[in-house]
Each structure stands twice: as structure tokens, then as C-alpha cells.
């Protein structure tokens, strides 16, 4: 036997015997939007549903907060751009991986600029102080110190040019040798240096500049 919900809200009976009319369960519960099967099994008509069920407010999922790393701006350099290097005599470490030290689940990487001697330190396991969140990446910059500036000076290359068009280059390590040969003071060497060379009679014969 099947029960069909009609517009009159009265189920059809197999027997012609009259039965007392009573509201259908679907009609009683339509206002709440809850579907209840009719007694003895049957088909549920969409007409028995209330349209209020479609107007229920949507429940939006809660979004988890995320962390965005904002790195500081690079400080100015004595050259046009920084040239980050990892000299082991300054940053330490091992020959195959200078300047890299274990830190938590990541590493700390220390680099030195070849031009200005400033430091850049990258931490791949940084921690957020207010929440304790770990595994972040941070970058910080430190000013040059005596060790990094001494290394920068040792990396400089100079060029001696002469009026006849010839030229020679030398590094800071051999500066003393060239100073004795051509009669100039090593104290004049440095960043962006540019000074003239003179012979014994005081006549200019060339000059010395930093090789870029």
C-alpha cells in the first residue's frame, strides 16, 4: 500500500470506509523543514515541504589565521648593490658549507657583503614571538665590524695605468710590493681610490684606481 500526500493534505485510503481526517505528518513538520516518512510507507511530495527551509542562514566555515613574513629593507651599500659572500675566515663553519649553522629544524646562514662588509643573516627556523609558531623564515642585517671590513679590504683589486697605455693589476695582498716598486703609499689605497703616480722628477706618469 502507498500513501500519497495530496493538496488536500488527506491520504487516500484503499477502503471506501471513511476515516477521520487528520493532518499529515509531513504537513505538521514542514514548517520546521524536517522530513518524516508517512505511516505505513509512502511517497513524499515536494509540495509538503516548507519554503522556509531554503531560507536558512548559511553557516560559513571558520578560517584559520595565517602568518606572512615581512622582511626588512636591505641597508644601503657603498656600491650600487650588495654582493653577498661567505668567507669562512669571517662567517665560520666548514669549508664545504661556510656560514651555515644548524638551528632547530632549519639553519642560520651568515653572509658578508664584498663591498661594504655588512652582514645578512637568514634563519630558516625562525619563531614568532607572540604565538610561538616555528618553522618561519626571517632575514636580518647587521653592520660591518672590524673582521668583515678587514676581509673587504683584502678582496680589493687595484689597477695601475700609465701614460703610454700600459696597465697592471694587483690585489691588496701584494699592495706593499707594488707600492715599493712605483713609489706610492699603501695608506692611499681603499674604496674608490684614484690617485696619480709621479716619477723622480715629479712628472705624472700614470695613476692608481680601484678595479670594479
Amino acid at each position: 500500500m502507498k500513501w500519497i500526500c495530496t493538496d488536500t493534505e488527506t491520504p487516500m485510503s484503499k477502503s471506501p470506509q471513511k476515516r477521520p481526517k487528520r493532518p499529515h505528518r509531513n504537513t505538521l513538520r514542514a514548517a520546521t523543514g524536517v522530513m518524516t516518512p508517512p505511516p505505513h510507507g509512502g511517497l513524499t511530495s515536494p509540495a509538503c515541504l516548507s519554503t522556509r527551509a531554503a531560507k536558512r542562514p548559511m553557516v560559513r566555515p571558520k578560517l584559520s589565521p595565517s602568518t606572512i613574513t615581512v622582511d626588512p629593507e636591505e641597508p644601503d651599500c657603498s656600491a650600487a648593490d650588495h654582493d653577498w659572500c661567505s668567507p669562512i675566515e669571517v662567517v665560520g663553519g666548514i669549508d664545504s658549507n661556510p656560514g651555515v649553522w644548524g638551528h632547530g629544524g632549519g639553519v642560520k646562514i651568515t653572509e658578508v657583503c664584498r663591498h661594504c662588509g655588512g652582514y645578512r643573516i637568514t634563519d630558516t627556523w625562525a619563531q614568532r614571538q607572540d604565538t610561538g609558531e616555528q618553522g618561519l623564515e626571517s632575514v636580518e642585517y647587521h653592520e660591518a665590524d672590524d673582521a668583515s671590513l678587514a676581509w673587504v679590504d683584502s678582496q680589493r683589486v687595484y689597477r695601475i695605468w700609465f701614460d703610454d697605455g700600459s696597465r697592471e693589476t694587483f690585489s691588496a695582498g701584494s699592495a706593499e710590493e707594488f707600492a715599493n716598486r712605483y713609489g706610492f703609499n699603501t695608506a692611499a689605497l681603499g674604496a674608490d681610490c684614484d690617485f696619480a703616480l709621479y716619477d723622480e722628477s715629479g712628472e705624472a706618469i700614470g695613476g692608481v684606481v680601484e678595479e670594479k
Side-chain angles (χ1 to χ4, degrees):
M1 180 188 319
K2 295 183 178 180
W3 294 90
I4 301 177
C5 180
T6 64
D7 293 339
T8 60
E9 302 181 357
T10 304
M12 297 177 63
S13 173
K14 179 179 180 182
S15 173
Q17 183 180 358
K18 294 184 179 180
R19 296 184 179 182
K21 295 182 179 180
R22 59 181 180 180
H24 199 283
R25 287 186 182 182
N26 283 347
T27 305
L28 293 175
R29 305 209 176 194
T32 62
V34 180
M35 286 292 297
T36 303
H40 313 299
L43 299 177
T44 302
S45 171
C48 297
L49 294 177
S50 171
T51 57
R52 294 182 182 178
K55 297 181 179 180
R56 287 184 177 181
M58 182 182 295
V59 179
R60 299 183 180 274
K62 294 183 178 180
L63 300 178
S64 300
S66 58
T67 301
I68 300 176
T69 303
V70 180
D71 294 328
E73 293 185 2
E74 282 193 344
D76 294 335
C77 181
S78 57
D81 297 298
H82 291 284
D83 183 6
W84 300 108
C85 306
S86 301
I88 191 170
E89 62 267 37
V90 179
V91 299
I94 58 177
D95 292 337
S96 60
N97 211 9
V100 180
W101 303 87
H103 181 227
V107 294
K108 271 190 174 182
I109 306 169
T110 302
E111 300 167 287
V112 176
C113 176
R114 187 176 68 86
H115 303 301
C116 66
Y119 290 89
R120 179 175 69 179
I121 301 176
T122 304
D123 188 354
T124 65
W125 195 257
Q127 180 174 355
R128 184 171 169 178
Q129 298 300 320
D130 56 343
T131 64
E133 181 182 0
Q134 294 181 323
L136 306 175
E137 182 170 314
S138 68
V139 177
E140 59 184 84
Y141 299 93
H142 292 214
E143 294 183 354
D145 57 16
D146 292 342
S148 64
L149 291 176
W151 176 79
V152 168
D153 287 338
S154 69
Q155 300 302 302
R156 299 189 191 280
V157 176
Y158 303 95
R159 183 177 73 251
I160 300 178
W161 56 271
F162 299 95
D163 289 339
D164 60 6
S166 61
R167 61 182 60 191
E168 292 184 65
T169 59
F170 64 95
S171 65
S174 56
E176 194 71 33
E177 175 188 348
F178 278 79
N180 293 334
R181 185 187 308 175
Y182 296 106
F184 63 85
N185 191 342
T186 56
L189 298 175
D192 302 320
C193 69
D194 185 357
F195 57 88
L197 292 178
Y198 301 90
D199 61 14
E200 295 179 355
S201 63
E203 184 178 352
I205 59 173
V208 179
V209 295
E210 183 188 8
E211 185 87 324
K212 298 295 186 180

